[in-house]
C-alpha cells in the first residue's frame, strides 16, 4: 500500500468519508481466487460528476484506477495492482423508467443484470444478456467486458444491446450520449468502443439498453448423445430451422458427475457422454416443432421440459458448472471460441492435450455450443502454467479460433493477445488508449501488453 493519507483526504472531499475505505480480503481477490490484488483504497462515487472528480484526483496524484462492478470477472481485470485504487460503481444504481414506445431504459453502471431483467419482466419485456452471475454482475461490468452469456445465439453480445452510454474517460472528460436513437450516424461509435474496453479507456457510469419482447412459450429440450459431432449437428439443424432458439448449451458427463458429486441432481439423466440444453421461446407453442426436428436425428435421447420448475432443474446442471469447479479448486479458465466445423474434434481432443502438459489435472469442458464458445476449466495436476496456456490457446489458434470469447483479456490472457491480434491492431488500440487515457491511469496491465 502506497502512502495514501493525502489521497484519502482528497477522495473523501469528493465522495464523503463513508465512501473511501481500505480494501479487505474480500475486495482483494477475484471471484475464482486466482488473482489477488494488493491492499489499497476503495472509493465509491455516487454520480458521474463524482467519478469525474475522482479521475481528476487520480491524475493529479499519479495513481491508477481499477473500475470495479460486481467483481465476477474471470480474467483478473478488476483487481488492484501497483499504485492503483479501486473505483466501485456500487452507488451508481439509479434506474430510469422503461420507455414503452422504444422499449429502452437507462440505468446506472452499478445496477445488476438481475435487477434489469426483473424491471424488464415487470413490463412484459426482457433484457436478454443472461448468465449464472446475474445477481452480482453489473451492467457496467458487462459493457466493459462485452459479456456474452447463454442467449448470444439469438440476441448477440452485450454490445448489441447498447443504444446509449455515459462515461468518464481517463482524460477526465465526460461523454454522454443517452438519447437512444437507433439511427444516429453522427461519427465514431464511442459506446461500441467503450464496450469491451475492460476499464482501460474510462469508467462507464450509465448505459441505455434496448429490451426485447418476453416470449410466453418456452420449451427446453435435453438432448443426450455420445459424441460432440452429433451434438454440433443437432444444434446446427435446430438453428437452421428455428429463429426462436435462445440457447444451446453443452455439458459433458464429467461436468454432470461433478455437479452430482457436489450438489446432487434433482433429475435422472441418461448415461451418455454429452448433454445439450436447447431452449426456444416464442409467441406461439413450439414443443411439437422442436420435437419433430429432434426426431430426425439418430442416436440421441431427448427429454422436453416446459414447466418453469422442470426447466429450472435442467438449467441448474449448466449453471452449477462454474461454482462446482471452483469448489474443487482454483481453476485455470480458458474461455475460447472455436469455429463450428472444428468444434467437435477440439472438444474431444483438448482433455488429452491438457494431460500432456498438466499430468493429473481434471479438465472440464462446457459452454455455449451454438457460438463455438467453450469453457475449458483445468483443476489440479502438475506442470508449468505457461506451457498449459500455450497448449490450450495454441490448439484454439491452430483452428482459427479466439483466445477469449466473452470474458475479455484482462491480465490473464494479455501476454497471448498477439496470437490473435496483429501488431498494427495492437498499435491502433494503444493509440486510442493514449488519446482517451493520456496518463495511462485506466486499468494498466489489463488488455494491452
Ligand atoms: P467486474 O468483475 O467488477 O469487472 C470486470 C472488468 O470490467 C474489469 O476489467 C473492470 O475493471 C471493468 N469494469 C467493471 N465495471 C466497469 C465500469 N463501470 N466501467 C469501466 N470498466 C468497468 N461472462 C460472460 O461473458 N458470459 C458468461 O456466461 C459468464 N458466466 C459467468 C458465470 C459465473 C458463475 C461467473 C462468476 C462469472 C461469469 N461471467 C460470464 C464473467 C463475468 O460475470 C462477466 O465478465 C461480467 O461482465 C463481469 O461483470 P462485473 O460487474 O462483475 O465486473
Ligand atoms: C459460463 O458460461 O458459465 C461462464 O462463462 C463461466 C465460466 O467460464 O466458468
Ligand atoms: Zn460463458
Amino acid at each position: 500500500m502506497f502512502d495514501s493519507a493525502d489521497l484519502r483526504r482528497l477522495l473523501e472531499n469528493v465522495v464523503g468519508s463513508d465512501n473511501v475505505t481500505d480494501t479487505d480480503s474480500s475486495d482483494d481477490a477475484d471471484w475464482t481466487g486466482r488473482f489477488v490484488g494488493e491492499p489499497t483504497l476503495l472509493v465509491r462515487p455516487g454520480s458521474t460528476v463524482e467519478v469525474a472528480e475522482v479521475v481528476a484526483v487520480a491524475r493529479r496524484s499519479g495513481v491508477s484506477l481499477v473500475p470495479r462492478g460486481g467483481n465476477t470477472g474471470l480474467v483478473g481485470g478488476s483487481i488492484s495492482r501497483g499504485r492503483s485504487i479501486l473505483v466501485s460503481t456500487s452507488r451508481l444504481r439509479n434506474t430510469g423508467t422503461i420507455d414503452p414506445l422504444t422499449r429502452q431504459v437507462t440505468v446506472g453502471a452499478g445496477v445488476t443484470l438481475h435487477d434489469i431483467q426483473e424491471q424488464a419482466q415487470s413490463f412484459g419485456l426482457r433484457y436478454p444478456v443472461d448468465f449464472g452471475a446475474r445477481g452480482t454482475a453489473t451492467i457496467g461490468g458487462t459493457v466493459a467486458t462485452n459479456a456474452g452469456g447463454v442467449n448470444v445465439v439469438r440476441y448477440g453480445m452485450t454490445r448489441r444491446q447498447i443504444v446509449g452510454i455515459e462515461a468518464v474517460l481517463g482524460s477526465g472528460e465526460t461523454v454522454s450520449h443517452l438519447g437512444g436513437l437507433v439511427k444516429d450516424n453522427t461519427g465514431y461509435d464511442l459506446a461500441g468502443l467503450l464496450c469491451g474496453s475492460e476499464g482501460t479507456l474510462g469508467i462507464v457510469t450509465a448505459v441505455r439498453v434496448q429490451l426485447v419482447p418476453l416470449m410466453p412459450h418456452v420449451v427446453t429440450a435435453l438432448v443426450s448423445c455420445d459424441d460432440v459431432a452429433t451434438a454440433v449437428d443437432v444444434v446446427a439443424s435446430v438453428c437452421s430451422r428455428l429463429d426462436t432458439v435462445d440457447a444451446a448449451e453443452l455439458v459433458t458427463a464429467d461436468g454432470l458427475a461433478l455437479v452430482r458429486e457436489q450438489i446432487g441432481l434433482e433429475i435422472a439423466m441418461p448415461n451418455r457422454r454429452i448433454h445439450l440444453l436447447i431452449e426456444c421461446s416464442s409467441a406461439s407453442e413450439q414443443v411439437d416443432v422442436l420435437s419433430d426436428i429432434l426426431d430426425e436425428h439418430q442416436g440421441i435421447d431427448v427429454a422436453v421440459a416446459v414447466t418453469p420448475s422442470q426447466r429450472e432443474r435442467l438449467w441448474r446442471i449448466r449453471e452449477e458448472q462454474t461454482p462446482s469447479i471452483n469448489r474443487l479448486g482454483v481453476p485455470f479458465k480458458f474461455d475460447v471460441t472455436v469455429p463450428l466445423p472444428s468444434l467437435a474434434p477440439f472438444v474431444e481432443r483438448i482433455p488429452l492435450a491438457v494431460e500432456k502438459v498438466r499430468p493429473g489435472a481434471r479438465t472440464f469442458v462446457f459452454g455455449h455450443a451454438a457460438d463455438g464458445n467453450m469453457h475449458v476449466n483445468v483443476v489440479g495436476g502438475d506442470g508449468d502454467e505457461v506451457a498449459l496456456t500455450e497448449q490450450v490457446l495454441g490448439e484454439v489458434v491452430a483452428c482459427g479460433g479466439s483466445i477469449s470469447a466473452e470474458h475479455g483479456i484482462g491480465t490473464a490472457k494479455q501476454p497471448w493477445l498477439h496470437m490473435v491480434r496483429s501488431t498494427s491492431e495492437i498499435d491502433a488500440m494503444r493509440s486510442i488508449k493514449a488519446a482517451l487515457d493520456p496518463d495511462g491511469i485506466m486499468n494498466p496491465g489489463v488488455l494491452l501488453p
Side-chain angles (χ1 to χ4, degrees):
M1 181 63 196
F2 47 86
D3 167 29
S4 62
D6 285 347
L7 180 61
R8 183 192 296 272
R9 189 174 38 75
L10 291 170
L11 292 169
E12 287 176 347
N13 290 344
V14 174
V15 301
S17 53
D18 292 351
N19 297 310
V20 183
T21 51
D22 293 303
T23 56
D24 59 32
S25 53
S26 68
D27 294 318
D28 289 341
D30 80 316
W31 188 90
T32 66
R34 171 166 298 286
F35 303 97
V36 181
E38 289 111 29
T40 183
L41 294 180
L42 184 130
V43 59
R44 293 179 187 82
S47 65
T48 300
V49 169
E50 286 188 4
V51 170
E53 289 174 18
V54 166
V55 172
V57 165
R59 292 191 74 194
R60 285 198 302 272
S61 312
V63 296
S64 303
L65 299 176
V66 175
R68 164 76 64 86
N71 198 25
T72 66
L74 297 171
V75 288
S78 56
I79 298 300
S80 69
R81 62 197 83 81
R83 262 178 79 82
S84 71
I85 59 174
L86 293 172
V87 183
S88 164
T89 58
S90 57
R91 291 179 60 215
L92 302 176
R93 293 180 58 84
N94 45 346
T95 302
T97 46
I98 294 174
D99 176 339
L101 292 183
T102 62
R103 301 170 306 290
Q104 296 175 353
V105 65
T106 297
V107 294
V111 174
T112 64
L113 274 192
H114 173 263
D115 288 352
I116 300 172
Q117 291 170 353
E118 290 271 293
Q119 186 193 6
Q121 202 152 350
S122 66
F123 231 79
L125 296 169
R126 183 183 184 193
Y127 182 65
V129 175
D130 188 36
F131 48 86
R134 63 182 70 80
T136 317
T138 63
I139 187 73
T142 57
V143 167
T145 58
N146 186 26
V150 297
N151 297 325
V152 169
V153 56
R154 184 170 187 180
Y155 296 104
M157 308 284 280
T158 291
R159 184 174 281 119
R160 206 193 293 174
Q161 323 309 324
I162 305 172
V163 290
I165 205 161
E166 183 168 279
V168 179
L169 305 176
S171 61
E173 294 296 317
T174 297
V175 291
S176 185
H177 203 70
L178 292 167
L181 298 175
V182 174
K183 288 197 166 181
D184 177 13
N185 255 342
T186 50
Y188 293 126
D189 174 10
L190 290 180
L193 179 64
L194 288 167
C195 185
S197 63
E198 300 185 54
T200 61
L201 298 179
I203 301 176
V204 174
T205 55
V207 192
R208 189 168 181 85
V209 294
Q210 182 64 57
L211 305 175
V212 297
L214 179 66
M215 289 291 151
H217 295 279
V218 186
V219 54
T220 308
L222 170 70
V223 177
S224 304
C225 57
D226 288 324
D227 60 67
V228 181
T230 303
V232 171
D233 284 347
V234 167
V235 172
S237 109
V238 173
C239 289
S240 59
R241 312 263 288 276
L242 296 178
D243 61 359
T244 55
V245 181
D246 282 359
E249 296 292 305
L250 182 147
V251 298
T252 66
D254 290 350
L256 190 63
L258 179 68
V259 171
R260 192 192 304 273
E261 191 184 297
Q262 292 213 354
I263 64 164
L265 276 182
E266 295 149 359
I267 49 173
M269 292 288 285
N271 182 17
R272 306 295 292 270
R273 278 186 67 229
I274 304 292
H275 301 281
L276 279 175
L277 283 185
I278 296 181
E279 182 156 293
C280 299
S281 71
S282 48
S284 56
E285 239 285 309
Q286 278 212 309
V287 176
D288 296 344
V289 173
L290 178 58
S291 305
D292 292 348
I293 295 171
L294 295 174
D295 284 350
E296 294 168 12
H297 287 264
Q298 311 301 319
I300 64 173
D301 291 328
V302 178
V304 171
V306 285
T307 68
S309 62
Q310 288 170 338
R311 291 193 292 109
E312 262 158 48
R313 280 203 297 274
L314 281 179
W315 274 104
R316 273 208 82 199
I317 296 168
R318 171 60 182 83
E319 299 220 337
E320 277 301 323
Q321 291 296 299
T322 300
S324 298
I325 291 167
N326 238 67
R327 278 192 288 269
L328 207 53
V330 176
F332 279 99
K333 296 175 83 72
F334 300 98
D335 153 46
V336 296
T337 300
V338 174
L340 290 178
S342 310
L343 188 61
F346 172 82
V347 174
E348 299 288 3
R349 117 177 130 248
I350 201 67
L352 297 176
V354 167
E355 181 62 24
K356 261 196 275 175
V357 290
R358 192 95 183 163
R362 290 181 74 173
T363 300
F364 298 91
V365 185
F366 63 97
H368 319 284
D371 325 324
N373 174 191
M374 286 292 122
H375 297 302
V376 180
N377 282 222
V378 180
V379 182
D382 303 311
D384 179 62
E385 301 177 3
V386 172
L388 170 65
T389 305
E390 284 175 349
Q391 177 76 29
V392 174
L393 299 187
E395 295 268 351
V396 170
V397 171
C399 46
S402 173
I403 67 168
S404 175
E406 56 180 10
H407 297 166
I409 295 291
T411 53
K413 306 301 183 321
Q414 189 246 73
W416 288 278
L417 183 64
H418 64 85
M419 293 176 82
V420 287
R421 303 307 294 265
S422 66
T423 308
S424 50
E425 284 183 295
I426 294 175
D427 287 349
M429 293 189 220
R430 283 191 203 286
S431 305
I432 292 167
K433 179 165 170 83
L436 301 187
D437 175 25
D439 300 337
I441 62 168
M442 293 310 310
N443 233 351
V446 162
L447 176 55
L448 288 175

